[in-house]
Amino acid sequence: MRVRACALNHLDLWERRGLPHVAIPMPHISGSDVAGEIVGAAAPDVVPGRRVMLQPGMSCGRCAACLSGRDNECARYEVLGYRNHPGGYAEYVKVPVQNLVPIPDEISFVEAAAFPLTFLTAWHMLITRAQLKRGDDVLVLAAGSGVGQAAIQVAFLHGARVFATAGTPEKLARARALGAYEVIDHRRQDIAEEIARLTNKRGVDVVIEHVGEATWAKSVRAMARGGRLVTCGATTGANGALNLQALFAKQLSIMGSYMGTKGELMRAVRFFFAGQLKPVVDCTYPLADAAVAQQRMEESGQFGKIVLEV
Ligand SMILES: [Zn+2]
């Protein structure tokens, strides 16, 4: 595939810095969120010139998990651009045909590249893991992050009442515009206390966590009885304490989530193509300025996705 756009993810930063117990083969090409045009024959229905975006998950396709439609539980599951599959910070990328998702003409390459990883992650967390129900109260941390902006939209789409956190007035206003019912300034307000106040001390049914150590205790405290907390990341650190009395007495569920299945992306994509889910693009850079783009992500100045254009 000829790459036209590739969105950044926090994973790109982790790869570059290095992760304990993770071997990154060299040379390495990052980039998990890719859109472009087919070159060469792919499949009877995916001809040269066809505009596509890519499923970011790679799996064996033959194991029980894969064949049960849970490909993100495959023992050989990998994210495009992470370790053994060179990614989209490139002019060309090669993927299995089952990773191709044709896109309609009205969707730009930049928008298409901004969609897959974060919306797939948010969809799997909310719909599959947390079993979100219409009317649930949902707390989404870090509205300006890729997962945050996607989770607000997916939760709102499914009839949830969304509470979102961010660190600047501008980001809080944008979170409201995406569907957040109430917003919390995490630099000035205590998240757990604000949730208690806003829900008349009940707490929220679902917490979407990915911040980690800095917010973990407050995220757990914000849960209602029977609440579900789903985490897909630990940006500020991987250690989180848990009060076991609160866990059993309040019947809490704490769940991990990693990416999502190919089928889930195909389902989310319907809402994307219909205009009901819209990836928020913060800004774009040419591929040559990938370092500048990563710098912007490290400084957390963005709201939504940073995209490289090739
Ligand atoms: Zn498999």
Side-chain angles (χ1 to χ4, degrees), residues 59-66 71 74-76:
S59 57
C60 81
R62 291 180 279 124
C63 71
C66 282
D71 51 276
C74 175
R76 293 169 64 191

Side-chain angles (χ1 to χ4, degrees), residues 37 65 77 101 114 221 225 252 308:
E37 294 158 303
Y77 189 79
V101 181
R221 261 178 58 211
R225 289 175 189 277
L252 307 177
L308 302 173

Side-chain angles (χ1 to χ4, degrees), residues 131-167:
Q131 296 281 304
L132 185 72
K133 289 189 283 295
R134 193 167 183 81
D136 276 349
D137 280 349
V138 177
L139 169 62
V140 175
L141 296 187
S145 66
V147 169
Q149 55 92 25
I152 292 171
Q153 293 186 57
V154 172
F156 181 75
L157 178 72
H158 288 82
R161 186 168 72 151
V162 180
F163 304 93
T165 76

Side-chain angles (χ1 to χ4, degrees), residues 181-230:
Y181 173 77
E182 279 291 352
V183 292
I184 299 167
D185 182 339
H186 65 71
R187 294 212 176 131
R188 293 180 33 243
Q189 296 171 298
D190 181 293
I191 296 170
E193 281 173 20
E194 279 303 296
I195 288 295
R197 187 179 68 80
L198 294 166
T199 61
N200 200 18
K201 298 197 176 150
R202 196 182 80 89
V204 294
D205 302 290
V206 176
V207 179
I208 295 301
E209 239 303 336
H210 52 106
V211 179
E213 263 176 54
T215 52
W216 182 260
K218 286 172 181 171
S219 293
V220 174
R221 261 178 58 211
M223 295 165 80
R225 289 175 189 277
R228 295 90 81 197
L229 182 154
V230 190

